[in-house]
Amino acid sequence: MNVFGVDIGGSGIKGAPVELDRGRLTEERHKVLTPHPATPEAVAGCVKEVVDHFGWSGPVGVTFPGVVTGGTTRTAANVDKGWVDRDAEGMLADLLGLPVTVLNDADAAGVAEMAFGAGRGRNGTVILLTLGTGIGSAVFTGGRLVPNTELGHLELGGHEAEKRASTKAKEDEDLGWHHWAHRVEKYLAHVEMLFSPELFILGGGVSRKAEKFLPHINGIRAAIEPAQLQNNAGIVGAAMAAAERGDAAPAARVA
Ligand code: BGC
């Protein structure tokens, strides 16, 4: 079965049809630049453009970089505040004329990694952290997701963790890999203290450069692995969540 996945990110809105059995895109993904300001209406127009590019008609899963409960977007840390308390699912379903499922971006990436990537076969507590503009989190135990955990907003040394340990912080403060890895290490130690996971999966674009910073991270008991699906994890996880809603049977379940 194929379902369409869309990933709303700070720089691009990307999507493609996904083959659910294998967690792969069936065609090269299509990307449009994220509008600024990224108001709900402007972003919804881009989602439509991506879906229409493939002439898709069928269920669509969409990621969002904030808390999403019951299809309503609740927070907007790094996007336009117009998203707070918006019925994103209803708005997109009306615009596309298709069934739409919206979920948090890190949750989507986590669902995909658990089924097809670094989390495969792991039944204990697994935490995926996406290091990007912000820090997103997805917490699993027994393969089931606890949605909207928002661990990027934990306090770290008197600051919000994502303001210190995201890749945006690395760029803004022009930190070297070693310096930045030290901050990530402190953050992981804090999250480990709270949850004692067996595995951390580190996602976001930086997962492609794992060899530059993972060797500098020490003293964490849990295994640490880079995400394997990299840029496509959000698209694949969004499609899986939409399939779940439609009673298909993806490999990991969204709570
Ligand atoms: C948001 C999360 C999101 C993360 C990554 C954070 O600022 O609060 O919901 O998952 O950024 O986009």
Side-chain angles (χ1 to χ4, degrees):
M1 181 182 172
N2 295 350
V3 170
F4 203 91
V6 181
D7 193 18
I8 298 178
S11 60
I13 296 168
K14 304 147 264 180
V18 176
E19 188 187 338
L20 290 174
D21 291 344
R22 301 203 300 166
R24 299 226 184 117
L25 311 191
T26 63
E27 291 175 62
E28 199 177 320
R29 63 193 198 159
H30 183 65
K31 172 175 170 173
V32 300
L33 293 180
T34 305
H36 291 288
T39 60
E41 287 69 23
V43 170
C46 296
V47 171
K48 182 165 166 49
E49 195 181 324
V50 171
V51 173
D52 286 352
H53 177 84
F54 294 88
W56 180 260
S57 72
V60 177
V62 181
T63 75
F64 176 75
V67 171
V68 186
T69 58
T72 299
T73 46
R74 300 289 183 188
T75 65
N78 296 304
V79 284
D80 187 81
K81 302 297 174 229
W83 286 96
V84 176
D85 293 336
R86 253 331 259 272
D87 173 16
E89 241 171 51
M91 173 184 65
L92 286 166
D94 286 350
L95 185 69
L96 299 175
L98 299 172
V100 173
T101 302
V102 180
L103 78 164
N104 173 262
D105 56 358
D107 285 347
V111 164
E113 284 291 329
M114 291 302 286
F116 302 108
R120 245 182 137 139
R122 298 283 198 152
N123 258 314
T125 301
V126 176
I127 302 186
L128 171 126
L129 298 166
T130 60
L131 307 171
T133 307
I135 294 180
S137 61
V139 177
F140 294 83
T141 190
R144 282 192 75 102
L145 170 71
V146 179
N148 295 307
T149 43
E150 294 291 316
L151 302 184
H153 299 289
L154 285 173
E155 190 186 307
L156 190 65
H159 301 270
E160 234 183 329
E162 73 173 20
K163 300 274 188 290
R164 303 278 295 164
S166 61
T167 51
K168 181 169 187 300
K170 179 180 183 303
E171 282 155 26
D172 288 353
E173 298 181 49
D174 203 14
L175 303 177
W177 286 106
H178 200 142
H179 190 163
W180 180 69
H182 185 63
R183 289 190 184 179
V184 176
E185 176 184 293
K186 277 198 172 152
Y187 176 57
L188 293 180
H190 189 67
V191 177
E192 178 160 72
M193 185 266 291
L194 294 170
F195 294 95
S196 299
E198 67 173 54
L199 170 67
F200 282 114
I201 303 173
L202 301 186
V206 81
S207 57
R208 268 172 306 196
K209 298 183 183 150
E211 77 289 349
K212 298 215 191 268
F213 70 98
L214 280 190
H216 299 304
I217 297 181
N218 302 302
I220 305 296
R221 211 173 306 121
I224 306 175
E225 289 183 26
Q228 289 173 6
L229 279 80
Q230 294 172 354
N231 274 339
N232 291 334
I235 295 175
V236 172
M240 289 173 70
E244 172 87 356
R245 180 74 70 79
D247 281 340
R253 297 180 65 86
V254 179

